[in-house]
Structure formats: C-alpha cells, structure tokens
C-alpha cells in the first residue's frame, strides 16, 4: 500500500515537471519499497528524465506494463514530456529534420507531420521549419501600483 503512495507521488512530481522533487522523493523512499517492479520501472523513467534522455524515456515508459493506478499517470506524463520537447524544439531549432523530430517524440512520420501542422511550423520536404513562439509580453504594473509602492518605500525610509 505505501509503495503505491510513493509511486503516485513520484509520478505526479514528474508530471508537474518537478524532476528535482521526484528525485528527492526517490532518495527518501525506504529501501523496502524500492524492490517492486513498478517502482523499479518508475525509477528508470525518472533517471531518463533526470538525464534528459528523451529516447530512453520513451523506451522505458513503453517497455513496462503499468498497473491500473499508474497507467493514467504515465499517459499524462507522456503528454507533458511531448509538450516539453515541442517547446524546447521551438526554442532551440529553426529547422529540424522530420526524422529527428519523430525520433525525439517517438512518433510515426504521420504523427510528426501532425505535430508540425499543430505548431504552425512549415514542412519543406523532409525538414520542418520551426516558427518561433511569440514572446510573452511582460506584465506592466499599473501606475497606481507604482505610486503605492513608492509611498511605501518612502514610509519605510522615513521610519528609520
């Protein structure tokens, strides 16, 4: 029973993108819980994400029959990792070979083409031209917030 709690905790941390927290939980897990096949497989998945080895992640995740509790969590983790890989491709590449894109995402050529279309990238033969994501505009503070903050700082300075 307690073993399942550790498994769910680690899987949820991985889904949330908290690889450090998942690794910390793994290290804090009592040794008697690390012996089960589910926990061992989850530990391998954690290791691949820690090393950022996405090809190994897909092999480890797909190479193990997950229990009913972990199946939906592993599906959600897979979606999160796909989204993370797509975001990193969008930041790091201007052009990527479709074959490399499919290898990173562990998808078929047809699914790779769908990823290209979904992200608004263009396909030129066997290469995807990545369109950079629009930069997020920084939220500006309203003028009254700046005025209030200034008054507060002046008050703190005058009270010394």
């Amino acid at each position: 029973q307690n073993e399942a709690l550790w498994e769910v905790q680690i899987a949820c941390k991985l889904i949330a993108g908290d690889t450090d927290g998942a690794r910390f939980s793994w290290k804090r897990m009592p040794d008697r819980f690390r012996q089960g096949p589910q926990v061992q497989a989850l530990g391998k998945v954690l290791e691949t994400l820690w090393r950022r080895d996405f090809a190994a992640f897909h092999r480890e995740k797909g190479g193990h029959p997950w229990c009913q509790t972990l199946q939906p969590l592993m599906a959600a983790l897979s979606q999160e990792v796909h989204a993370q890989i797509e975001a990193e491709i969008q930041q790091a590449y201007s052009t990527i070979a479709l074959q490399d894109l499919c290898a990173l995402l562990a998808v078929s050529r047809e699914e790779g083409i769908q990823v290209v279309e979904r992200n608004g990238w263009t396909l030129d033969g066997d290469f995807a031209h990545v369109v950079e994501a629009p930069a997020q505009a920084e939220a500006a503070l309203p003028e009254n917030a700046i005025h209030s903050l200034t008054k507060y700082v002046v008050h703190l300075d005058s009270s010394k």
Side-chain angles (χ1 to χ4, degrees):
Q1 184 71 13
N2 286 334
E3 184 178 316
L5 293 174
W6 285 101
E7 293 169 355
V8 169
Q9 180 185 27
I10 291 170
C12 288
K13 285 181 184 283
L14 290 174
I15 292 167
D18 185 9
T19 310
D20 292 333
R23 190 164 185 233
F24 181 69
S25 294
W26 175 263
K27 287 182 175 188
R28 290 191 63 217
M29 181 189 308
D31 288 336
R32 68 181 184 273
F33 295 135
R34 290 189 193 172
Q35 306 310 315
Q38 295 288 312
V39 175
Q40 289 291 317
L42 191 59
K44 289 178 182 177
V45 167
L46 168 60
E47 184 182 342
T48 62
L49 291 176
W50 178 258
R51 290 180 300 149
R52 302 184 55 71
D53 185 351
F54 297 119
F57 163 77
H58 295 298
R59 280 193 308 275
E60 292 296 337
K61 185 197 75 65
H64 184 76
W66 299 102
C67 66
Q68 259 186 328
T69 306
L70 289 179
Q71 282 177 354
L73 296 175
M74 296 312 288
L77 177 60
S78 185
Q79 289 175 345
E80 287 299 318
V81 170
H82 272 243
Q84 177 187 357
I85 293 169
E86 288 178 29
E88 289 181 12
I89 288 170
Q90 198 155 19
Q91 277 188 321
Y93 290 86
S94 58
T95 303
I96 185 170
L98 187 58
Q99 179 180 354
D100 294 340
L101 173 69
C102 294
L104 281 171
L105 294 171
V107 296
S108 68
R109 180 178 171 83
E110 292 75 27
E111 291 170 316
I113 292 170
Q114 290 174 359
V115 168
V116 169
E117 292 169 352
R118 182 177 64 240
N119 285 297
W121 305 339
T122 57
L123 194 60
D124 181 21
D126 286 336
F127 290 92
H129 297 283
V130 179
V131 177
E132 213 174 303
Q136 297 280 337
E138 290 186 30
L141 290 174
E143 191 171 317
N144 63 347
I146 293 172
H147 179 69
S148 297
L149 185 59
T150 304
K151 282 177 55 178
Y152 181 67
V153 170
V154 168
H155 170 72
L156 289 176
D157 283 342
S158 66
S159 65
K160 286 184 180 179

